[in-house]
Amino acid sequence: MTVAFVLGGGGVRGAVEVGMLRALIETGVKPDLVVGTSIGAINGTAIAADPTTSVIDTLERAWSSDAAGAIYGEWWPRQLRRLAKSRTHLNSAEPLRRLLEDFVGERARFEDLPVTLAVCAASIERAAETWFDSGPLIDPVLASCSVPAALPPVEIDGEHYVDGGVVNSIPLSEAIRRGATTVFVLQVGRIEEPLKPPETPADVAKVAFEISRRHRFFRDRDEVPEHVDLHILPSGGSQPGDEKLGAFRSMEHTHRRIEAAYDATAAYLRDAGVAS
């Protein structure tokens, strides 16, 4: 049996994955394989580096740190000055780089991790989904979570990459392709929320983006082979303000997200009979 954790994208809502990981580890479930996209690549790096209960404290501290707030919560005038200078992005990637280096070290390589990790990024030049699973670790993870316009593209070996959520937001099929037979999907809750026709220009952008995010996951879910045991973990529900277009940058409900996801996932695992 090969156990895979699939960690999807979703900005600040990725805090729910910390609660899910806590419930999984406390239940005795540990991964043989971790695949991640965007914020899931960051959380996935942490669990692949330390698949024990101690990583939960590390992640909770990271999510409540000044560095986490600086990734999206930087002062607006400073963001606008950076946009005017760069013409491509609002935020600096340096706080995120420092966060990752705190997890694994500046010179970390995929091969150093005790659990196999693969992260997804989108190649600009090839317009292609790209998976990184060997060599230097930090830049591929940064590439996986480089949200267009929010963070700059990351150059790796002469090629430029942006957020993996552009091509594969919840990479279920990749875990199965790599041999997973039991899969736990850690998703941020958007797939649990119904879509409705847009009523405002902001709604148009949000609905279009959500369709593009969700359709592949739903297709991949429906095509899971019979021999694969699939668990899609519950997020614990949305938080106030999640419906707003700018919710991706609000860290206000981080602790609440973690606790709600932990409670919901712990209950799911008990009901599903998942235990060590």
Side-chain angles (χ1 to χ4, degrees):
M1 181 176 72
T2 298
V3 176
F5 288 1
V6 173
L7 293 95
V12 297
R13 294 180 68 164
V16 303
E17 295 174 353
V18 180
M20 294 171 178
L21 288 169
R22 190 205 305 170
L24 285 164
I25 292 172
E26 287 182 358
T27 306
V29 181
K30 293 185 178 180
D32 304 299
L33 167 68
V34 175
V35 294
T37 293
S38 196
I39 194 63
I42 299 172
N43 291 331
T45 297
I47 191 69
D50 181 13
T52 70
T53 53
S54 65
V55 77
I56 302 305
D57 291 337
T58 300
L59 280 168
E60 288 181 343
R61 284 195 302 271
W63 272 93
S64 60
S65 69
D66 291 341
I71 294 168
Y72 292 118
E74 195 175 37
W75 193 40
W76 268 110
R78 185 173 296 167
Q79 289 182 317
L80 293 175
R81 285 198 298 270
R82 185 177 293 109
L83 178 61
K85 183 177 180 179
S86 70
R87 299 187 179 184
T88 59
H89 57 275
L90 289 164
N91 299 89
S92 169
E94 286 311 302
L96 185 53
R97 181 181 293 277
R98 291 194 297 270
L99 194 67
L100 288 167
E101 290 174 354
D102 286 344
F103 285 162
V104 294
E106 182 180 353
R107 300 182 183 279
R109 299 176 65 85
F110 282 91
E111 294 85 351
D112 299 334
L113 302 173
V115 175
T116 299
L117 172 70
V119 300
C120 177
S123 165
I124 292 177
E125 285 85 354
R126 291 181 292 111
E129 176 179 331
T130 305
W131 284 90
F132 294 93
D133 58 10
S134 63
L137 176 63
I138 300 296
D139 280 350
V141 178
L142 281 175
S144 182
C145 55
S146 290
V147 178
L151 291 166
V154 175
E155 183 177 354
I156 301 173
D157 295 333
E159 196 166 346
H160 297 82
Y161 297 89
V162 294
D163 194 297
V166 172
V167 288
N168 197 346
S169 185
I170 307 175
L172 169 61
S173 59
E174 184 66 17
I176 295 171
R177 188 184 75 81
R178 290 172 179 262
T181 53
T182 299
V183 180
F184 294 90
V185 173
L186 290 75
Q187 50 81 35
V188 303
R190 288 195 176 102
I191 61 172
E192 302 167 353
E193 299 165 2
L195 290 177
K196 61 181 181 180
E199 298 176 354
T200 69
D203 287 345
V204 173
K206 178 182 176 182
V207 169
F209 181 59
E210 283 302 316
I211 291 171
S212 69
R213 285 173 59 95
R214 299 180 193 192
H215 86 280
R216 178 171 181 174
F217 173 71
F218 290 145
R219 183 194 66 192
D220 291 347
R221 177 200 60 190
D222 293 342
E223 294 178 354
V224 169
E226 290 186 3
H227 73 275
V228 174
D229 187 14
L230 175 63
H231 300 274
I232 301 173
L233 303 181
S235 71
S238 60
Q239 297 297 325
D242 280 352
E243 73 283 357
K244 297 178 181 177
L245 191 62
F248 74 92
R249 65 191 304 272
S250 173
M251 304 292 289
E252 179 183 0
H253 302 298
T254 296
H255 182 71
R256 219 179 283 171
R257 292 187 199 283
I258 292 172
E259 291 304 314
Y262 170 76
D263 290 342
T265 298
Y268 169 87
L269 295 173
R270 286 194 300 271
D271 292 345
V274 176
S276 58

